Amino acid sequence: MALRLVQVNFKARDDAALGRFWAEALGWGVSSEAPGVTNLEPEGVAWPDPAGFYIDLVTVPDPETVRYRVHMDLATTSAAHHAELVAHLKHLGATPADVGQGDVPWTVLADPEGNVFCVLEPRELYRDTGPIAAVVVDCADPRALARFWAAAVDRTPQEVSDDHARLRPSEGTGPYLEFLRTPPGPRTWWNRLHIDLLPDPVDTKDAEVTRLRTLGATSADVGQGEVPWTVLADPEGNEFCVLGKG
């Protein structure tokens, strides 16, 4: 049995409009499995191909109440690519964002619904990730949270410190999963993203949920009601979903 970090999920005011922004930002294809849901996938890859990493956008009645501690970092391959991508994103509707980053070599932007993300300067580390370099989780203890997630999704910890930890995908491609120490207390910016996991095979969901609970995950209620997936929280309370059926 195995669990794979398969996608990020956005809570949105308008899933179709926000989906168009991110599809054009990443150069991905767009589909919809149901009203109020927009699915994004890399060109030439179809769900649930393990070679792919995906984005789901779901319209919710009041997204302003959602504040997850997850954001995405986008990869660039050169200084020129970085400048071109930032200009392209602004043309699509992204705006500069100040989260207290100061003078840094990357660019912090917000998408049209205010979700903050970063466009990184070229880094050799992210050469093979595709357009999304990393999914980043704000936390109090990167070392402890990296231990949980490394066991949860069978990823290899890299560069673990008191301030930052990075997990490498076992396949060697796709986004890194990273943990960044952040000051305690409320934030002034929005992120409405959470992580979705997919069991392989998919009908082992119940067994995987049990395993995650033994690692320290707990049940979470985000108003999901009766759904085929299971909502859990990691040891620092970050909600995530385990997809599939029992």
Side-chain angles (χ1 to χ4, degrees):
M1 294 185 294
L3 272 175
R4 182 164 58 92
L5 172 57
V6 68
Q7 66 185 18
V8 292
N9 181 295
F10 283 75
K11 297 293 184 278
R13 288 189 295 272
D14 185 334
D15 64 282
L18 193 59
R20 286 193 296 272
F21 168 85
W22 280 105
E24 293 185 45
L26 302 172
W28 285 10
V30 182
S31 61
S32 179
E33 66 189 68
V37 181
T38 296
N39 313 108
L40 307 184
E41 58 278 323
E43 294 290 351
V45 178
W47 173 276
D49 188 329
F53 181 79
Y54 309 87
I55 294 177
D56 267 8
L57 303 101
V58 181
T59 292
V60 296
D62 188 7
E64 298 298 329
T65 64
V66 180
R67 193 180 294 246
Y68 296 125
R69 301 184 66 83
V70 177
H71 73 267
M72 293 193 303
D73 286 349
L74 304 188
T76 61
T77 57
S78 66
H81 180 213
H82 179 271
E84 291 166 2
L85 180 57
V86 169
H88 178 57
L89 291 163
K90 289 179 177 177
H91 175 74
L92 294 175
T95 53
D98 185 351
V99 296
Q101 69 269 21
D103 185 13
V104 293
W106 58 88
T107 302
V108 184
L109 299 173
D111 71 17
E113 290 204 7
N115 301 298
V116 171
F117 64 98
C118 298
V119 182
L120 301 179
E121 76 284 4
R123 301 184 192 182
E124 181 65 19
L125 178 70
Y126 302 123
R127 182 183 60 185
D128 299 323
T129 62
I132 303 174
V135 177
V136 184
V137 181
D138 295 343
C139 65
D141 188 342
R143 290 183 184 274
L145 212 54
R147 284 194 298 270
F148 168 83
W149 280 100
V153 295
D154 190 26
R155 289 194 171 203
T156 304
Q158 295 184 345
E159 301 181 40
V160 177
S161 72
D162 290 341
D163 295 318
H164 183 260
R166 178 182 292 116
L167 302 184
R168 176 68 170 168
S170 57
E171 303 85 2
T173 59
Y176 283 77
L177 181 58
E178 302 187 6
F179 305 93
L180 181 65
R181 181 186 294 276
T182 53
R187 296 177 305 168
T188 59
W189 64 94
W190 292 101
N191 285 316
R192 304 176 186 90
L193 287 71
H194 70 260
I195 293 168
D196 284 346
L197 308 181
L198 183 68
D200 183 19
V202 70
D203 60 2
T204 60
K205 178 181 75 74
D206 288 350
E208 288 295 339
V209 167
T210 298
R211 184 177 68 86
L212 289 166
R213 287 188 172 122
T214 66
L215 294 174
T218 54
S219 298
D221 186 349
V222 295
Q224 68 269 20
E226 291 293 327
V227 292
W229 56 87
T230 299
V231 184
L232 298 173
D234 70 19
E236 287 205 14
N238 300 299
E239 294 94 347
F240 64 96
C241 295
V242 183
L243 308 180
K245 55 187 178 180

